[in-house]
Amino acid sequence: MASRYDFSIKRSVEQESWNMNKGLAKGSKGEIPSLNQYLEKVRAKIVNLYQELTLSGKVITALAIKNKFLRMDQQEFTCVN
């Protein structure tokens, strides 16, 4: 069964300016082109992360891709003096 995870990319657009079918903002004025370009970059990064997980032989889940995108899969190390 497929699962889905949502997360915010910290960008917004008015509802009437959103094309639900394309998953992009409508129009070419103001910040719309830069928002759409950013959305395409996010999509491309997610595809690349999927491919990385596939090539590394790891289990591919929506949560694994989300965590990798948000860098939650990386361990943090600290130095103690």
Side-chain angles (χ1 to χ4, degrees):
M1 180 175 175
S3 59
R4 174 183 172 152
Y5 280 89
D6 295 325
F7 59 93
S8 174
I9 59 169
K10 310 291 190 251
R11 305 276 177 108
S12 63
V13 67
E14 297 295 325
Q15 187 173 354
E16 60 271 1
S17 296
W18 185 250
N19 184 327
M20 185 76 99
N21 293 328
K22 292 183 179 180
L24 295 170
K26 299 180 207 173
S28 59
K29 295 182 181 177
E31 297 293 318
I32 299 295
S34 112
L35 172 62
N36 285 337
Q37 185 178 32
Y38 180 73
L39 290 170
E40 290 299 334
K41 286 180 182 179
V42 168
R43 286 188 183 106
K45 184 171 183 174
I46 290 171
V47 168
N48 287 335
L49 294 173
Y50 175 87
Q51 291 172 342
E52 281 180 31
L53 289 170
T54 300
L55 292 173
S56 68
K58 295 186 179 177
V59 176
I60 301 170
T61 65
L63 181 59
I65 294 170
K66 174 187 168 189
N67 287 342
K68 197 158 183 65
F69 181 85
L70 298 174
R71 299 179 185 210
M72 295 174 65
D73 65 329
Q74 298 175 358
Q75 294 181 354
E76 292 187 27
F77 298 97
T78 57
C79 295
V80 179
N81 291 334

